[in-house]
Amino acid sequence: MYPKCKISENFIHSLADFDNKPDSLFFSDGQRRIDFVLVYEDESKKMTHKRSDHKKQKRKRQVYESNLINNGLQLEATRSVLDEKLIFVKVHAPWEVLCTYAEVMHIKLPLQPNDLKTRDSAFNWFSRLLRVDENIIKPEQEFFTAPFEKEHLSNFYIQDKDTFFNPATRSRIVHFILSRVEYATKNNVKKFGINKLLDAGIYKAAFPLHDSSFRHPSTDPDCPSERYLLYKEWAHPKNIFKLQPLDFIRRYYGEKIGIYFAWLGFYTNMLTVAAVVGVGCFLYGCLAKDNCTWSQEVCDPNIGGNIIMCPQCDKACTYWNLTITCESSKQKEHVPYTACGKCMRMTFCTSAVLFWILLIIASVVGVIVYRLSVFLVFSALLSQHITETQAIHKYLTPQTATSVTASVISFIVIMILNIIYEKVAIMITDFELPRTQTDYENSLTTKMFLFQFVNYYSSCFYIAFFKGKFVGYPGNPVYWLGKYRNEECDPGGCLLELTTQLAIIVGGKAIWNNIQEVLLPWVKNLIGRYCAAARSEKIVPRWEHDYHLQPIGKLGLFYEYLEMVIQFGFVTLFVASFPLAPLLAIINNMLEIRLDAWKMTTQFRRIVPQKAQDIGAWQPIMQGIAILAVVTNAMIIAFTSDMIPRLVYYWSFSVPPYGNHSTYTMKGYINNTLSVFNISDFKNESKPSAPQVGNQTTCRQVSNNHSFPMTRAVNTI
């Protein structure tokens, strides 16, 4: 029920005319600063028949604004210049209100300037070259701080009451009030908060103002134009190699945004060491590939050219020549509230999460079945006959065609499932009713990461640790579902295929994220500005400019962190297969920092400042990934690559008593690795339909995981 007293809208807030000062951040009196803006549509201007609903909405808004005034806030309304239906309600918090809620919120404020001397680092001369010009963005003065208390007001460093609370702190306090003021009571249950009013459509937007245009400084001398400085010295592409003005970012956007960019910059810098090592490995591989003994043997027409390999599928596949895999044998890198209720909610939510994880696993199995079935088609279309000499077969082999198409399909499935599960995860988390915003974000973070971990990495884990490990032998192959013959790795190993999978997923993800995060907001704002310009050439105030920008969204930085943590997983979990991943991550992150800065500064409304101590649940997640990365890379080296079999051959099988060479060498490694199979032992259901060549009686096959030399050693002993 609503209060029975009649409330006049004109009594709640005065309706003032716009004074044609586009950069002004003050009420019409030029004295009271605008700390927040609420936007709604005037019901009397709407052309619709649902008048009863409009009356209810208007009544709720009147009660809400009346309670805002009762809490000490001051309101002033202005009609839109471009759309007469829109009303902008400007909110101002007087000094007494700021002091009262600063104490309630335990906001730390300056006591006195920090007079402790700091020691300069030996690297200051170098970092000074990369810093923002201190004449443009002056270093922020450091203070000793303490939680604010009105009783000890005289102890705080107050030189000017108008500047003691900076704009970010003022907006934060006002948002705190807006989130707790009531607007209705129904069945003895109080309804409150600006977020519910926004969801119900009673207000169309609520946001703090940017202090200027990003293109030019404010014409108002009382406005500091910090947004313009941030764009010029931080978000502009020319600053891609400069250090970020983190204190300035924190002062304008708040601690939560400041911590994100500080973390992103630190993470990017720490990738440098991994990138140097990865580039070194890549360059060594490029320089050494032509001198690689086993690659030379595969490509040698007198060695690899005389080795006939067994078919890799039933019936449709033919015998093929080992020299077809000449290029892949080099591993050449390709760069592209109640306990019962809570228990029930948790049970339901856990079941829902497990269901979606099983759905992902089912999609991965579906892609595997696609690989098994399509390999037969490509084997028939891309003949691997031993007399084939066309250059196209260096790259376009059935294995390559299957791998690339399966990777593309896997990426498409991943992105579709991400879009669906994002909405499901939010619904599940809302159903859990977390007590605080931090609990809400941590719960959503855990669900989304768990889902995306399985979604993004499951196909990579399959290629790295399962493909080609259980294939049997030509006379007795292993079948999936009793129908599909299990996949075999290329004689060059599965590392190249894993690299292809990673390149397609990582590259496709980066392109998709940039389109979603940068291009779409830019296009929407461009269309909005074009439509506004077509309607009118009038001078538009700052609050109306900001209204037509894109909202940041309820989850704020959640998706930015999620994107970087998924990238961290790709960089660390599979770096043994893709050593250029850290370098590509550095390049991506250098662009990501500036793109995020450009997006927040130019395309989005000003974010409500929030406090933060750390990066939240992402920290333990990254620690878990780092630990898992040690295990996965060790397993890739041990089971997916043929590093260990090569070392075993070099030190044990190349010299007597097992080998005939006088010194340790890799010569003969290929012949030693391939097992021999008698063609007469083929079963009828798997015997190739193509006739054998000449007097051919045997064919060769790659031993599982290149482990044949080790197996021979065990048998000999």
Side-chain angles (χ1 to χ4, degrees):
M1 299 295 294
Y2 307 119
K4 294 183 179 180
C5 59
K6 184 176 181 180
I7 302 173
S8 170
E9 186 125 19
N10 292 330
F11 172 77
I12 294 173
H13 53 62
S14 57
L15 193 62
D17 293 328
F18 172 50
D19 55 7
N20 288 328
K21 295 180 180 179
D23 290 331
S24 177
L25 301 179
F26 297 89
F27 279 22
S28 58
D29 58 13
Q31 301 296 321
R32 292 173 292 175
R33 183 182 181 91
I34 301 173
D35 297 315
F36 227 87
V37 174
L38 307 177
V39 187
Y40 68 89
E41 282 190 342
D42 187 353
E43 286 81 1
S44 63
K45 302 291 183 180
K46 291 183 178 181
M47 302 299 294
T48 180
H49 300 290
K50 296 182 178 180
R51 294 186 177 181
S52 59
D53 292 340
H54 291 164
K55 287 183 179 180
K56 291 180 180 179
Q57 289 188 342
K58 184 176 181 179
R59 185 65 176 174
K60 289 178 180 178
R61 186 175 62 252
Q62 289 176 339
V63 171
Y64 181 71
E65 292 182 1
S66 177
N67 287 334
L68 290 179
I69 294 174
N70 293 337
N71 277 270
L73 297 180
Q74 298 175 2
L75 309 181
E76 181 183 81
T78 301
R79 193 173 293 276
S80 169
V81 174
L82 302 177
D83 186 352
E84 64 175 4
K85 295 193 298 293
L86 291 179
I87 302 293
F88 293 88
V89 180
K90 296 167 282 186
V91 183
H92 169 76
W95 170 259
E96 286 299 323
V97 173
L98 293 172
C99 290
T100 299
Y101 282 93
E103 184 173 6
V104 171
M105 298 169 67
H106 304 287
I107 295 177
K108 291 185 177 181
L109 292 168
L111 287 172
Q112 64 180 32
N114 185 357
D115 56 358
L116 297 178
K117 294 182 179 180
T118 58
R119 297 179 60 183
D120 291 336
S121 170
F123 297 97
N124 270 3
W125 66 271
F126 178 73
S127 62
R128 195 175 295 116
L129 300 174
L130 303 176
R131 290 178 193 164
V132 175
D133 189 348
E134 294 183 356
N135 294 321
I136 299 176
I137 297 182
K138 296 181 180 179
E140 188 171 353
Q141 186 177 5
E142 294 185 357
F143 291 91
F144 294 110
T145 63
F148 184 78
E149 294 180 2
K150 293 174 65 175
E151 293 181 359
H152 303 96
L153 186 63
S154 60
N155 294 333
F156 288 86
Y157 189 77
I158 304 176
Q159 291 185 317
D160 185 353
K161 287 185 177 180
D162 292 334
T163 59
F164 179 64
F165 295 98
N166 63 39
T169 303
R170 297 176 67 98
S171 299
R172 183 177 157 222
I173 291 174
V174 172
H175 185 262
F176 181 85
I177 300 172
L178 293 174
S179 300
R180 286 159 177 78
V181 168
E182 301 171 19
Y183 63 85
T185 302
K186 186 175 182 180
N187 300 327
N188 294 324
V189 177
K190 295 180 179 179
K191 297 184 177 182
F192 57 89
I194 186 62
N195 291 334
K196 291 184 178 179
L197 292 172
L198 289 170
D199 293 338
I202 296 174
Y203 286 103
K204 294 181 69 66
F207 53 90
L209 289 178
H210 284 294
D211 63 359
S212 68
S213 169
F214 69 88
R215 294 186 177 90
H216 52 76
S218 174
T219 57
D220 190 334
D222 294 326
C223 297
S225 300
E226 292 181 346
R227 182 193 187 194
Y228 167 73
L229 293 178
L230 280 171
Y231 173 74
K232 182 181 177 182
E233 301 298 324
W234 176 49
H236 198 279
K238 70 177 182 180
N239 304 309
I240 192 169
F241 295 109
K242 280 190 176 181
L243 297 176
Q244 302 180 80
L246 294 174
D247 288 334
F248 200 65
I249 297 169
R250 176 186 60 82
R251 186 170 69 193
Y252 191 79
Y253 286 117
E255 282 75 7
K256 194 167 187 177
I257 300 294
I259 284 180
Y260 166 72
F261 282 102
W263 170 82
L264 182 54
F266 174 78
Y267 164 55
T268 303
N269 291 336
M270 291 299 101
L271 284 172
T272 304
V273 177
V276 170
V277 176
V279 171
C281 293
F282 175 76
L283 293 177
Y284 173 79
C286 291
L287 295 174
K289 68 174 184 177
D290 293 330
N291 298 322
C292 176
T293 303
W294 52 89
S295 294
Q296 291 174 348
E297 291 187 349
V298 171
C299 299
D300 191 336
N302 297 321
I303 301 177
N306 293 325
I307 296 179
I308 308 303
M309 303 296 293
C310 297
Q312 293 184 316
C313 66
D314 297 338
K315 298 292 184 179
C317 295
T318 64
Y319 301 99
W320 52 285
N321 198 297
L322 184 60
T323 52
I324 290 177
T325 64
C326 175
E327 293 300 317
S328 63
S329 68
K330 300 173 183 179
Q331 289 168 13
K332 181 178 179 180
E333 298 289 345
H334 295 271
V335 184
Y337 295 112
T338 62
C340 180
K342 184 176 180 180
C343 181
M344 292 178 63
R345 288 193 298 271
M346 291 301 296
T347 301
F348 170 80
C349 295
T350 302
S351 302
V353 172
L354 290 176
F355 167 78
W356 279 92
I357 291 177
L358 292 175
L359 182 62
I360 299 172
I361 296 174
S363 69
V364 173
V365 172
V367 173
I368 294 174
V369 172
Y370 164 84
R371 300 169 71 106
L372 298 174
S373 57
V374 148
F375 182 77
L376 296 173
V377 178
F378 283 126
S379 296
L381 294 177
L382 305 173
S383 177
Q384 286 183 325
H385 196 273
I386 58 175
T387 61
E388 186 62 62
T389 59
Q390 295 180 11
I392 193 174
H393 285 278
K394 286 185 177 180
Y395 301 99
L396 192 57
T397 62
Q399 293 94 336
T400 304
T402 302
S403 176
V404 172
T405 56
S407 297
V408 172
I409 292 174
S410 180
F411 171 73
I412 294 173
V413 172
I414 285 171
M415 301 314 297
I416 292 174
L417 288 177
N418 275 351
I419 294 173
I420 298 174
Y421 185 75
E422 174 186 326
K423 303 182 184 301
V424 174
I426 293 175
M427 291 174 56
I428 294 174
T429 309
D430 290 341
F431 184 73
E432 288 179 356
L433 299 177
R435 293 183 64 252
T436 65
Q437 179 67 19
T438 301
D439 291 340
Y440 181 91
E441 291 181 358
N442 289 343
S443 178
L444 183 61
T445 296
T446 303
K447 293 183 184 65
M448 283 296 292
F449 176 76
L450 183 61
F451 173 84
Q452 294 212 2
F453 181 90
V454 179
N455 200 18
Y456 277 112
Y457 303 142
S458 54
S459 59
C460 297
F461 275 101
Y462 163 73
I463 295 174
F465 304 122
F466 296 99
K467 183 182 176 182
K469 302 300 184 294
F470 312 101
V471 297
Y473 53 88
N476 187 26
V478 175
Y479 291 91
W480 268 66
L481 307 175
K483 179 179 180 182
Y484 300 103
R485 181 167 166 176
N486 207 349
E487 288 187 283
E488 297 182 25
C489 287
D490 190 274
C494 282
L495 279 182
L496 181 59
E497 187 171 346
L498 178 58
T499 302
T500 302
Q501 180 86 1
L502 290 170
I504 290 176
I505 293 179
V506 174
K509 180 176 178 293
I511 294 172
W512 174 259
N513 286 339
N514 287 330
I515 291 175
Q516 195 174 29
E517 296 179 9
V518 178
L519 186 61
L520 289 182
W522 179 77
V523 170
K524 289 179 181 178
N525 288 335
L526 189 65
I527 294 173
R529 287 195 297 269
Y530 177 80
C531 295
R535 288 197 305 266
S536 174
E537 296 295 335
K538 297 179 181 179
I539 298 175
V540 179
R542 168 55 42 206
W543 49 84
E544 194 154 354
H545 271 298
D546 286 8
Y547 171 72
H548 291 292
L549 296 177
Q550 297 300 308
I552 192 64
K554 294 181 179 180
L555 297 177
L557 295 173
F558 174 81
Y559 297 105
E560 307 296 338
Y561 276 114
L562 181 61
E563 178 186 354
M564 288 296 103
V565 171
I566 293 296
Q567 180 206 83
F568 177 73
F570 281 116
V571 168
T572 55
L573 291 173
F574 306 103
V575 69
S577 170
F578 196 22
L580 286 183
L583 176 63
L584 298 180
I586 286 181
I587 297 173
N588 177 81
N589 290 0
M590 291 176 67
L591 295 174
E592 182 75 19
I593 290 173
R594 304 304 161 178
L595 286 176
D596 285 347
W598 174 84
K599 180 176 60 179
M600 290 185 182
T601 308
T602 67
Q603 304 301 308
F604 284 91
R605 297 170 188 160
R606 189 171 182 175
I607 301 170
V608 179
Q610 295 180 354
K611 295 289 287 185
Q613 296 178 337
D614 48 39
I615 64 174
W618 299 112
Q619 183 67 28
I621 287 175
M622 294 184 71
Q623 290 174 342
I625 292 176
I627 295 172
L628 181 61
V630 177
V631 178
T632 56
N633 282 287
M635 293 177 68
I636 287 174
I637 293 173
F639 302 121
T640 306
S641 74
D642 56 356
M643 178 182 294
I644 293 178
R646 288 176 183 176
L647 291 175
V648 171
Y649 177 82
Y650 183 83
W651 293 109
S652 300
F653 292 99
S654 63
V655 295
Y658 306 113
N660 299 322
H661 300 284
S662 58
T663 59
Y664 296 109
T665 180
M666 289 303 299
K667 291 182 179 179
Y669 171 75
I670 293 297
N671 185 62
N672 190 276
T673 302
L674 300 176
S675 58
V676 180
F677 178 76
N678 290 322
I679 293 176
S680 59
D681 292 335
F682 268 121
K683 295 181 179 179
N684 290 330
E685 57 269 19
S686 60
K687 189 174 183 179
S689 57
Q692 62 194 60
V693 178
N695 297 323
Q696 173 191 355
T697 58
T698 62
C699 61
R700 309 294 292 274
Q701 185 190 29
V702 180
S703 300
N704 288 353
N705 197 38
H706 299 287
S707 59
F708 185 62
M710 302 182 72
T711 306
R712 279 187 51 185
V714 172
N715 293 336
T716 304
I717 292 173

